[in-house]
Amino acid sequence: MTTLSEHDSPILVTGAAGAIGAIGRNVTEMLLARGHKVRAMVRREDTRAEDLRRLGAEVVVGDLTDLASMHRAIDGCKHIYFGMSVSAAYLEATVNTAAVARHHGVEAFVNMSQMTVTQMSITETTDSPQHKLHWLAEQALSWSGLPVVTMRPTVFLEGFFLELAAAGVRDSDALVLPLGGGRTAPISAVDVASAVALVLNEPAPHIGRIYNLTGSESADLTHFAKIFSEALGRTITYRDVPVDAWTGKLREAGFPAHVLAHFAAMARLHQQGRYDRMTDDYTRLTGRAPTSMREFVQAHAAEFTRPATTA
């Protein structure tokens, strides 16, 4: 009787179509580059699913809250990366996936959480409904008996500093964010993906570990605005704005209420200094420094720069 080697069985990557930072897509690409088979789970057939197939992934369409979908996705996989965008269904999706993973005897379950959970407990939470769901999900995974590795990144550079701030930098030379004078240590989602891929490549030494992932420095937005200025070659200022006015504009842009409540809570926690935290977990895990703010801005300079006008 022969058994499949780890490279013969696919690694399941959920959220592979990607949202902020496209962690799932990057994990998929990185694992394929290491010679692994990857089963990439997406919510729908679209161009992103086709892109994953072109990379060499097996694509499965399904719903993280649906049992039948998760049986199709997990059957035959030894290792799983579980990640999901901010959603009111996050806890249901986590428990549903975990139950099916346990049924199929999964040997490594890499869970994407959030660093704020490190400061939470049975008596301490935040005003973010998503933070509470992450905390509860971690409790459920602990109770499940699954071989879990927990990744707790801080704020993503691709989130607050690109998706939510690029327009202000591009159009008015300002980082327009409601973070007050709070300091923060954002990390690139690509770096987080590289940490996930490293763990999935050889998960055994990491089972039961929690990795709190931050960027290379913790600083306020005035400091980061100076870095934007130097990287872009023009003066960028930090413009602090009221949380309610900021979320109001995001509401007009179509962000759902659950996401808005999460963003508002994150902004207020920044103002309170709750994101002024640094760890060396990323460097110890990967052997290299995380992407700096300067490197990030330089890599995305086109998105922060107004297109040249022609006469």
Side-chain angles (χ1 to χ4, degrees), residues 16-81:
I20 294 178
I23 292 178
R25 188 194 183 283
N26 279 297
V27 169
T28 297
E29 188 169 0
M30 292 170 184
L31 289 173
L32 289 168
R34 288 176 177 264
H36 291 281
K37 295 179 181 178
V38 178
R39 183 175 294 165
M41 185 174 181
V42 300
R43 292 186 63 186
R44 62 182 66 87
E45 282 286 359
D46 57 19
T47 57
R48 294 176 299 177
E50 283 303 312
D51 288 342
L52 290 165
R53 288 191 180 95
R54 280 192 287 271
L55 287 174
E58 172 196 354
V59 175
V60 58
V61 178
D63 181 344
L64 290 166
T65 65
D66 176 64
L67 279 171
S69 290
M70 296 320 299
H71 279 289
R72 289 195 307 272
I74 293 173
D75 188 19
C77 295
K78 291 183 178 181
H79 304 158
I80 293 176
Y81 162 68

Side-chain angles (χ1 to χ4, degrees), residues 263-311:
F263 285 169
M266 289 179 70
R268 293 189 174 100
L269 289 172
H270 270 91
Q271 294 172 359
Q272 297 164 19
R274 292 277 294 276
Y275 281 84
D276 182 13
R277 305 180 63 199
M278 285 286 295
T279 78
D280 62 355
D281 283 10
Y282 178 80
T283 298
R284 289 191 297 107
L285 181 60
T286 66
R288 58 181 179 271
T291 302
S292 69
M293 180 66 81
R294 183 185 304 276
E295 291 168 334
F296 181 79
V297 175
Q298 289 172 337
H300 294 275
E303 294 162 88
F304 294 121
T305 304
R306 288 184 294 274
T309 58
T310 57

Side-chain angles (χ1 to χ4, degrees), residues 13-198:
V13 175
T14 71
I20 294 178
I23 292 178
R25 188 194 183 283
N26 279 297
V27 169
T28 297
E29 188 169 0
M30 292 170 184
L31 289 173
L32 289 168
R34 288 176 177 264
H36 291 281
K37 295 179 181 178
V38 178
R39 183 175 294 165
M41 185 174 181
V42 300
R43 292 186 63 186
R44 62 182 66 87
E45 282 286 359
D46 57 19
T47 57
R48 294 176 299 177
E50 283 303 312
D51 288 342
L52 290 165
R53 288 191 180 95
R54 280 192 287 271
L55 287 174
E58 172 196 354
V59 175
V60 58
V61 178
D63 181 344
L64 290 166
T65 65
D66 176 64
L67 279 171
S69 290
M70 296 320 299
H71 279 289
R72 289 195 307 272
I74 293 173
D75 188 19
C77 295
K78 291 183 178 181
H79 304 158
I80 293 176
Y81 162 68
F82 177 81
M84 184 183 187
S85 58
V86 176
S87 169
Y90 180 84
L91 180 60
E92 179 186 0
T94 305
V95 175
N96 191 67
T97 303
V100 179
R102 181 171 177 173
H103 173 79
H104 287 280
V106 165
E107 298 175 6
F109 190 107
V110 180
N111 174 48
M112 182 57 59
S113 187
Q114 293 194 7
M115 194 172 174
T116 310
V117 174
T118 306
Q119 300 175 323
M120 297 171 67
S121 70
I122 195 65
T123 58
E124 297 290 336
T125 186
T126 78
D127 292 333
S128 163
Q130 185 68 25
H131 284 155
K132 183 179 180 182
L133 295 181
H134 273 286
W135 186 84
L136 289 171
E138 285 198 24
Q139 307 311 300
L141 288 173
S142 176
W143 303 332
S144 74
L146 282 165
V148 177
V149 184
T150 303
M151 315 300 280
R152 291 178 178 169
T154 184
V155 177
F156 290 140
L157 285 165
E158 290 83 354
F160 270 61
F161 289 88
L162 186 60
E163 182 182 21
L164 300 178
V169 175
R170 184 177 59 247
D171 300 335
S172 58
D173 294 332
L175 274 174
V176 183
L177 290 167
L179 307 188
R183 295 160 65 94
T184 188
I187 188 169
S188 169
V190 177
D191 286 342
V192 175
S194 71
V196 170
L198 183 149

